[in-house]
Amino acid sequence: MTLLFTDLVGSTRILDELGDDAADRHRRRHFRVLRDTLVAFGGREVKSLGDGVMAVFHSASDALACAVAMQQTVARGNVAGDRPAAGVRIGLHAGESLHEDDDYFGTPVVVAKRLCDAASAGQIVVSEVVRDLVGTRGGHAFRSLGELELKGIRAPLRASEVDWSDAPAQRATDAPRRRTRVVVVAAAAVVTAAALGVAAVWGDRDDAPAPRAPRAPRDSAALLADLRWTRVAHDESVFGGVGDQEIHRVTAFGERLVGVGRDGAGRDLDAAVWSAAGPHEWERVAHDERLFGGDAEQLMWGVATDGDVLVAVGRDDARGDKDAAVWTSRDGFEWTRVRDARGALGGPGDQVMNRVAAWSGGFVAVGFESRGRNRDGAAWVSRTGARWTRVAGERVLGGPGDQVLRSVAAAPDGVVAVGSEARGEVRGDDDAAVWTSRDGARWERVEDPTGGLTFGGPEDQVAATVTAGGPGWVAAGFDTSAGSYDVAVWTSADGASWERVPRNDLVFGGPSHQFIWGISSSSPTGWLVAVGRDDVGGGPDAAVWTSIDGLTWRRMLPDEGMLGGDLAQTMKWVTVTPDHLVAAGSDRSQGDADAAVWVAPLSAP
């Protein structure tokens, strides 16, 4: 994927010259130009951050043609008398970045942002990778800038400037339209400074407590050590189709299983739902464009149940920016889209629900909001899932820099949310962050008692999932301080005091990268299962970690037959039923992503 960053140069001067209202209108016109150009050339905006946009392209030549068109359009506006004159700088790089919960991680993202930072107003700076990928297509003129020293990048990077002033204007209809997945164009803030890959535990305790404890004919440690996974037989009509299909979360609902995610079979991404009468008996819930689709993109990121109703959360881009979105169902087949009558889910800028959990007070959802240069954490509460209230907590959930709530879990005595915080104007050094609440409406920020050694450190630390289990609570995420993405785990007895589980390279690290995307705990035994991906070997394979107490972990040895195959298999989430563990995610062995499900019986061999 090709990553493109833009930055509006001189925004402070424009503000001083025009004043707040006129400067805001000037800025909105600027972004409208950029977004129209992105759409015309097959790009996808990921997010806006103050003075720039973040977007992605499947094709390097499309991305460069779009960058040229952006500069030419801005220049024409300046000649036509737009005052004050606008200046935009653009950086492009290509590579494999990882995508989760509307965020992107990896060195290619950082490189693209740093190339944008190194550019001047009216300049397009591209890496040697992009220059080689584009080649002679488009007739672009490149001028070598030699090797650039980029902040956060260890080795100098060869880069070139693109001469766009005399480039022939390419019409929007000349740009090929692609249905394939797009990846990142980024904005005026650094995303992460780390090696390629992501080791993360994403997820939360989305599931309501199981109606009865899983069968364990032997002790839990022996049971977990002998897990035997099988892949549910692939049915193209259920798990596949045109474009990408992926299951993000699964929950047990009565005697059934319900999974939610996304489907790229239409002209854009739509929300998608799957249902199963048993672990191996899956069907796709019929798509209704009015409920699950519409203009732009709709995605489901999380699902939870109180036993009576299912609540799925995510986002909807139909109004030109991202708004939080909620769906409810009484049976897993007939769904209702929640109307935002009180304006709790939308508003200026972006609002996204990442996860939802059910507890005695109803439902609580967490995510983020972006109205300016930075993102602030956000939370919502609802008694029934049908009417939502936005929690007023900017001082606690937000602050200088970026704060994102990535996961939430509930227990009878309260709620814990985890995520990340990057302080300052420029992102690039994330620390893990934890918030607690007794009622979902009033939150407290957990301070790091060691002055940053528990939640922070060199490079990035992110708490991406939390569940009630182990000594009380277990959170997990990733740490890049060793030069690659390795798993990180934290535990707490009460949600207020946390300790970092000692690093163990044999379990949490190793060659290449290890990723944990989902974690679930069993009640009342308290043992935990985490799932994700391991990049060791010939290609990424699904991976499983287990623990009986949250403190001591075991990683299942790679098994190509059960969890692997050509290209990439990824488990995104795992849920516990009385008799089985059921994991879901995606499989790219056919070229695009198809939804995938794996099952492990909870019984003695």
Side-chain angles (χ1 to χ4, degrees):
M1 311 307 295
T2 298
L3 317 168
L4 180 153
F5 284 77
T6 79
D7 183 34
L8 176 63
V9 179
S11 58
T12 302
R13 171 184 58 83
I14 294 173
L15 178 63
D16 291 342
E17 183 174 337
L18 296 180
D20 291 342
D21 292 341
D24 185 62
R25 289 193 296 271
H26 184 281
R27 178 178 170 275
R28 281 188 275 116
R29 284 198 304 271
H30 171 75
F31 276 101
R32 187 164 57 249
V33 167
L34 299 187
R35 286 165 176 154
D36 289 347
T37 309
L38 279 175
V39 172
F41 286 88
R44 173 176 170 239
E45 181 183 353
V46 176
K47 56 191 170 186
S48 62
L49 290 173
D51 295 336
V53 295
M54 175 181 184
V56 295
F57 291 79
H58 184 73
S59 160
S61 58
D62 288 353
L64 184 52
C66 180
V68 169
M70 284 179 172
Q71 294 289 16
Q72 292 175 336
T73 304
V74 171
R76 284 196 299 271
N78 291 338
V79 172
D82 285 353
R83 290 294 181 267
V88 63
R89 54 186 176 185
I90 302 176
L92 293 94
H93 183 53
E96 181 184 356
S97 298
L98 292 177
H99 177 210
E100 176 74 6
D101 294 347
D102 279 351
D103 212 346
Y104 288 82
F105 299 92
T107 300
V109 180
V110 180
V111 170
K113 175 61 177 67
R114 294 307 190 195
L115 289 174
C116 178
D117 294 342
S120 302
Q123 192 176 32
I124 301 171
V125 176
V126 305
S127 66
E128 187 176 32
V129 174
V130 171
R131 178 173 179 170
D132 290 344
L133 287 171
V134 173
T136 59
R137 286 175 292 179
H140 301 287
F142 298 92
R143 182 176 67 85
S144 175
L145 299 177
E147 294 186 340
L148 300 182
E149 298 280 350
L150 303 178
K151 182 180 178 180
I153 305 301
R154 293 183 177 86
L157 188 84
R158 295 188 63 83
S160 298
E161 177 186 8
V162 180
D163 183 2
W164 55 266
S165 57
D166 296 326
Q170 185 178 15
R171 296 175 300 165
T173 53
D174 294 335
R177 300 300 183 94
R178 286 180 168 81
R179 283 283 321 124
T180 327
R181 196 168 53 110
V182 247
V183 191
V184 229
V185 179
V190 157
V191 181
T192 57
L196 175 62
V198 177
V201 183
W202 300 87
D204 56 81
R205 189 184 173 119
D206 290 338
D207 298 12
R212 56 190 174 92
R215 284 191 290 114
R218 300 177 299 153
D219 67 274
S220 296
L223 174 66
L224 294 178
D226 289 333
L227 286 176
R228 292 294 181 265
W229 291 87
T230 58
R231 171 83 176 270
V232 174
H234 178 73
D235 183 334
E236 185 72 7
S237 65
V238 175
F239 299 125
V242 178
D244 290 345
Q245 293 78 33
E246 186 172 47
I247 300 176
H248 293 143
R249 288 296 180 270
V250 174
T251 187
F253 183 63
E255 298 298 320
R256 300 191 68 86
L257 294 161
V258 176
V260 303
R262 61 175 184 168
D263 181 10
R267 57 189 175 87
D268 53 29
L269 291 175
D270 290 334
V273 180
W274 292 260
S275 182
H280 293 272
E281 303 166 6
W282 287 82
E283 58 185 301
R284 175 74 182 272
V285 174
H287 178 72
D288 185 333
E289 185 70 11
R290 297 170 300 172
L291 292 174
F292 302 137
D295 296 334
E297 295 182 351
Q298 295 77 30
L299 294 89
M300 291 178 173
W301 290 122
V303 64
T305 180
D306 62 359
D308 294 324
V309 62
L310 286 157
V311 174
V313 303
R315 65 173 173 85
D316 183 354
D317 299 358
R319 296 184 178 179
D321 59 12
K322 295 178 176 66
D323 289 337
V326 182
W327 297 260
T328 62
S329 176
R330 293 282 178 179
D331 60 5
F333 289 97
E334 299 292 332
W335 288 79
T336 300
R337 175 73 182 270
V338 172
R339 295 184 179 276
D340 188 19
R342 297 185 292 177
L345 306 180
D350 294 337
Q351 295 81 29
V352 174
M353 286 180 172
N354 284 331
R355 297 290 182 266
V356 61
W359 68 306
S360 58
F363 294 90
V364 55
V366 300
F368 68 88
E369 176 179 40
S370 174
R371 291 190 179 184
R373 297 185 63 88
N374 301 315
R375 293 184 291 177
D376 290 332
W380 296 260
V381 292
S382 174
R383 291 291 300 178
T384 64
R387 297 182 64 186
W388 290 80
T389 300
R390 172 75 183 275
V391 173
E394 184 174 348
R395 291 186 178 181
V396 176
L397 302 177
D402 283 350
Q403 295 80 28
V404 178
L405 275 64
R406 302 181 181 275
S407 178
V408 62
D413 57 348
V415 180
V416 172
V418 301
S420 59
E421 177 175 38
R423 296 181 183 271
E425 287 293 320
V426 179
R427 298 175 65 205
D429 183 7
D430 286 305
D431 290 337
V434 179
W435 295 262
T436 62
S437 175
R438 291 196 176 276
D439 59 6
R442 292 177 293 273
W443 291 82
E444 295 182 4
R445 172 72 182 271
V446 175
E447 298 298 329
D448 190 335
T450 59
L453 297 180
T454 300
F455 295 140
E459 301 294 342
D460 292 329
Q461 294 77 33
V462 172
T465 186
V466 63
T467 188
W473 301 91
V474 179
F478 64 86
D479 183 352
T480 67
S481 60
S484 63
Y485 287 85
D486 293 330
V487 173
V489 177
W490 298 263
T491 62
S492 174
D494 57 7
S497 299
W498 291 78
E499 296 182 357
R500 173 83 179 264
V501 174
R503 178 188 177 90
N504 183 338
D505 284 340
L506 294 177
V507 178
F508 296 146
S512 189
H513 310 290
Q514 291 74 35
F515 312 86
I516 299 180
W517 297 123
I519 186 172
S520 188
S521 62
S522 165
S523 177
T525 61
W527 48 258
L528 301 107
V529 177
V531 299
R533 176 177 127 183
D534 187 345
D535 287 3
V536 174
D541 292 332
V544 179
W545 291 256
T546 60
S547 175
I548 60 172
D549 57 8
L551 303 173
T552 303
W553 287 80
R554 173 184 180 272
R555 185 166 73 198
M556 183 176 173
L557 294 176
D559 189 319
E560 185 78 8
M562 283 193 290
L563 306 179
D566 295 334
L567 297 178
Q569 291 75 32
T570 299
M571 290 178 173
K572 283 296 186 74
W573 184 247
V574 60
T575 194
V576 183
T577 75
D579 301 301
H580 296 84
L581 296 177
V582 181
S586 62
D587 179 2
R588 293 189 171 275
S589 60
Q590 302 302 314
D592 59 3
D594 289 338
V597 177
W598 296 261
V599 178
L602 293 175
S603 59

